[in-house]
Amino acid sequence: MTMQGHSNFGRFADATLSSHDQVARALGGEILSGVYPPGSKLPSEAEMLSRFGVSRTVLREAFKTLTAKGLIVSKTRVGTTVLDSAHWNFFDADILAWKVTQGFDIAFIRDLAAIRVAIEPAAARSAAEQASAKDIAEMRRCVERMAAATSNASEFAEADLAFHKAVGQASGNVLMRSLAAVIETALLASFRMSSPVRETEVHDESVAAHSRIVDAIEAGKGDEAAEAMQFVIGHGVARIERAGASSKRRPSR
């Protein structure tokens, strides 16, 4: 399934990348997909230069990027080795974006949801303690945008992402705000596989659930805000699992 329109989600949108970013994305994607499995050696520098048609400086910058993300390690007279996945930084926005391009599996979506459940309800609880009138107004605007997006999955997704970012902002916790890349990836997975705008009842339920989060935050009811946030995350995963089950039952043509 694809989203109606084209989502402009940060790192996932088409954009002009520098040469070393393009090389890093290509190699990073191949490492994540298993073309170069953990413990294997990347091709020699000469082979890489020939393949990508870039300078040594560009290639080395790309390797620095992959090293910083925990994907590879380079040693003199040994070469460049792919590290075990335990070293990979899946909180990194680029790695998540590269993962997106390969498609999603339900196990990865559940992992994303588990991280969100561990963090976002706490953000909502914290927002209930200190959200400003400006924060509340922004959340309300996001919910209104979600309500208005009855036929365009991309518009709904953008409003949903803005909503969760607004809650993180209102929490006052910089680390919670830094979770944006994980939320972005999770929402993109959700809307690519099953958007609420495809079913009126599901759309209305999603809008109402987000509205309940704002109501609880505005009322200063932290526990209710946390519970409402947890429901929203679980609702999204359940929707994906239903869509997956439905596609499996659908006869092939």
Side-chain angles (χ1 to χ4, degrees), residues 147-193:
T150 56
S151 61
N152 189 304
S154 180
E155 289 178 5
F156 190 98
E158 294 287 352
D160 198 350
L161 175 61
F163 175 87
H164 289 276
K165 285 185 174 180
V167 174
Q169 178 69 29
S171 75
N173 187 313
V174 295
L175 295 179
M176 288 179 181
R177 294 202 296 267
S178 295
L179 191 67
V182 172
I183 297 170
E184 193 171 0
T185 308
L187 291 178
L188 185 64
S190 173
F191 288 104
R192 277 189 172 178
M193 298 178 77

Side-chain angles (χ1 to χ4, degrees), residues 49-88:
L49 293 175
S50 175
R51 172 188 173 185
F52 292 109
V54 296
S55 67
R56 281 190 174 83
T57 299
V58 169
L59 182 63
R60 287 170 184 172
E61 283 300 314
F63 277 19
K64 284 182 182 178
T65 296
L66 297 176
T67 299
K69 298 178 188 303
L71 297 180
I72 63 173
V73 61
S74 298
K75 295 182 180 179
T76 305
R77 292 189 294 276
V78 174
T80 302
T81 305
V82 177
L83 291 172
D84 185 83
S85 59
H87 296 278
W88 302 353

